[in-house]
Amino acid sequence: MRILHVVTLISEDGAYGGPTRVALNQAGALADLGHEVTVVAAGLGPPPKSGSVQIELFTPRRLIPRSGFAGLSAPGMLRWLAGAAERFDVAHVHLARDLVTLPAARLCRLRGLATVVQTHGMIDASGKLLAKPLDALVTRSALRRAAAVFYLTDRERSDLIDVAGPRMKLVNVINGVPTLPEKASDRGLEVLFLARLHPRKRADLFVDMAEVIVHEHDSVTCALVGPDAGAGDAIAKRTGPRIRWEGPCAPDQTAERMRAAAIYVLPSADEPYPMSVLEAMAVGLPVVVTDTCGLAGDITRIGCGIVVHAGELQPLLDAVRLLLGDEDLRAAMGRRGRAAARTAFGTVTVAHALEESYREAAPHVAR
C-alpha cells in the first residue's frame, strides 16, 4: 500500500511530543511490513532520518498569535497535498484542533483519498475559545466523515462522542513502541522526568519530590529533560547540582537518555497514553505514573511500576523511596515492562491492526 501520514509538527527538539513519535513509529513499522510510507508535517530544518520512510516538512506559519500549536498552519503542505493525493491509497491524519491537520484531512477527502484519523486524546470537550467554532466548522465533519476514527482509551472514545456524536466508525488502536536496547545495570541512582515542561505534566511536583529525595539520599540525582512548554522559568529557579533541567533532547536520543536512569517518573494529570512511559518500559525502567494516566491500569496489571494519586506529593515520595531502596524490585519491574513493550505494545502488533483498517477504508487495495 501507498500510505500517507499527516502530523502537525516535526522538530529537532521534539516539541510536539507523543503524536509525532506515534506517527513516526507507525510509519516505520508499516514500512518494515513492505508498504510505501510518507510522513508530512510542518517543520523547519532537514527532516529526521527514519529508515525507508519518506518525510516531507513544510514551513510552519503562525496564523493565530499566542495560540500554541493550534494556531500553526502549513500552506505549503496543502499545496503539496492537492497535487500528491492521487499517489496514495490511504491517508492517516493525526488529527488535532489546529490549522495543519484539520484542513489536511478535509483536502484529502475532497481529493478522493480514503482517510482515517487518530486524535491522541487531543479532541475533547474543550472550553478553549477556538474550540467551539473550529468544531462547528471543521472538527465534527472531519470525525464523522473519516473512514475510521482511532481512539486509545474508553475516556477518549467518550470524549469523541461528546464532540461529534455517535455517527463515527470508532476503532481502538493502541500506541506501540519499537524494540529498544535494554538499559545496563544501574550506573547511578538517577530519577528521570522526560517530557515537555508543560503545567499539565507537573514538573513542579517532580521537583517537590526531588528536593526531599536528594536531601535523604546522598547518592541520588534527579533530572528533568524536555523543552519548555510554559513551566520552564519556574523550574529553572529550583534546579541545582543534583536536580538538573537539561533542556530538550532530540527524539532519536530519548531512549539512550533513559538508559542512563534508574527510575522514570511522570506525575502528569490526565495523561491520555504517554509514549515516554512506553519507551521507558521498553528500555527496562520501572515507571511511576498517576492514576489519571491512560496506562495506569496496564502498569498495575503488568507489575512494571507504581501508580500514585494525581497531584499528591506524599504518594509520589513513597513510590520513589520504595524503588530507590529495592534494587531487585526495580530490576523485576523493568523486566516485566520490557517484555510487555515487546509484545502487547510492540509496533508490529499495531502495524497489523492499521493494515486491516486501511484496507477496509480503501477496499480497492489488493490484500
Side-chain angles (χ1 to χ4, degrees):
M1 266 187 288
R2 299 164 299 172
I3 303 165
L4 174 68
H5 278 248
V6 182
V7 67
T8 301
L9 180 70
I10 295 177
S11 61
E12 291 181 341
D13 63 357
Y16 197 60
T20 298
R21 181 59 60 87
V22 172
L24 293 176
N25 284 348
Q26 290 174 345
L30 289 161
D32 288 343
L33 293 179
H35 300 292
E36 181 183 323
V37 188
T38 300
V39 179
V40 296
L44 296 172
K49 295 180 180 178
S50 187
S52 60
V53 175
Q54 181 177 347
I55 300 176
E56 300 279 353
L57 299 184
F58 300 87
T59 303
R61 307 290 186 196
R62 183 165 297 284
L63 294 187
I64 305 174
R66 297 185 297 278
S67 58
F69 298 116
L72 288 181
S73 69
M77 176 198 293
L78 298 180
R79 291 191 294 269
W80 182 89
L81 280 173
E86 63 184 19
R87 292 167 26 196
F88 299 98
D89 298 308
V90 63
H92 181 152
V93 181
H94 298 266
L95 195 72
R97 285 187 179 102
D98 62 44
L99 304 178
V100 177
T101 57
L102 284 170
R106 178 178 174 80
L107 180 57
C108 287
R109 291 196 316 275
L110 290 174
R111 303 298 287 184
L113 178 58
T115 303
V116 301
V117 301
Q118 183 171 2
T119 59
H120 303 278
M122 297 184 292
I123 295 178
D124 57 9
S126 173
K128 292 183 179 179
L129 183 63
L130 287 174
K132 287 188 177 181
L134 268 179
D135 288 351
L137 292 170
V138 192
T139 312
R140 290 192 188 98
S141 175
L143 293 169
R144 291 170 179 171
R145 296 185 181 184
V149 177
F150 300 144
Y151 69 93
L152 287 163
T153 64
D154 289 342
R155 176 173 175 174
E156 183 178 11
R157 184 180 187 277
S158 177
D159 285 342
L160 289 167
I161 291 172
D162 284 345
V163 171
R167 291 185 296 157
M168 296 174 283
K169 183 177 181 181
L170 291 158
V171 179
N172 180 229
V173 174
I174 65 168
N175 287 344
V177 63
T179 300
L180 298 170
E182 187 175 8
K183 75 183 294 293
S185 299
D186 292 337
R187 290 169 281 179
L189 289 177
E190 181 187 73
V191 184
L192 177 66
F193 170 103
L194 194 154
R196 294 182 301 125
L197 270 65
H198 185 279
R200 183 170 60 83
K201 304 288 186 180
R202 293 307 309 269
D204 60 325
L205 189 60
F206 179 90
V207 176
D208 291 343
M209 175 275 300
E211 288 174 342
V212 177
I213 291 296
V214 299
H215 178 73
E216 295 176 346
H217 297 267
D218 291 340
S219 60
V220 174
T221 60
C222 297
L224 300 99
V225 177
D228 184 13
D233 289 345
I235 296 302
K237 295 174 183 177
R238 302 176 63 189
T239 57
R242 294 174 59 203
I243 304 174
R244 306 181 311 277
W245 174 29
E246 299 177 5
C249 179
D252 61 356
Q253 297 297 314
T254 56
E256 181 64 27
R257 180 62 187 85
M258 285 183 171
R259 283 193 286 272
I263 303 166
Y264 180 71
V265 176
L266 186 67
S268 293
D270 296 320
E271 188 73 42
Y273 212 91
M275 282 301 300
S276 61
V277 172
L278 290 178
E279 196 167 83
M281 290 165 53
V283 303
L285 284 179
V287 298
V288 179
V289 303
T290 74
D291 52 6
T292 62
C293 172
L295 286 167
D298 295 301
I299 289 166
T300 299
R301 174 178 53 82
I302 296 164
C304 62
I306 301 174
V307 176
V308 301
H309 290 300
E312 297 182 18
L313 176 59
Q314 192 60 50
L316 187 62
L317 275 170
D318 291 343
V320 174
R321 284 170 174 153
L322 176 62
L323 290 170
L324 286 172
D326 193 332
E327 183 178 1
D328 291 339
L329 179 62
R330 294 198 305 272
M333 286 185 168
R335 285 193 298 270
R336 290 192 285 265
R338 183 166 166 77
R342 288 197 305 268
T343 54
F345 298 104
T347 49
V348 174
T349 300
V350 175
H352 283 301
L354 291 175
E355 277 185 319
E356 188 62 30
S357 287
Y358 293 165
R359 288 185 172 122
E360 289 180 8
H364 65 281
V365 178
R367 289 183 176 268

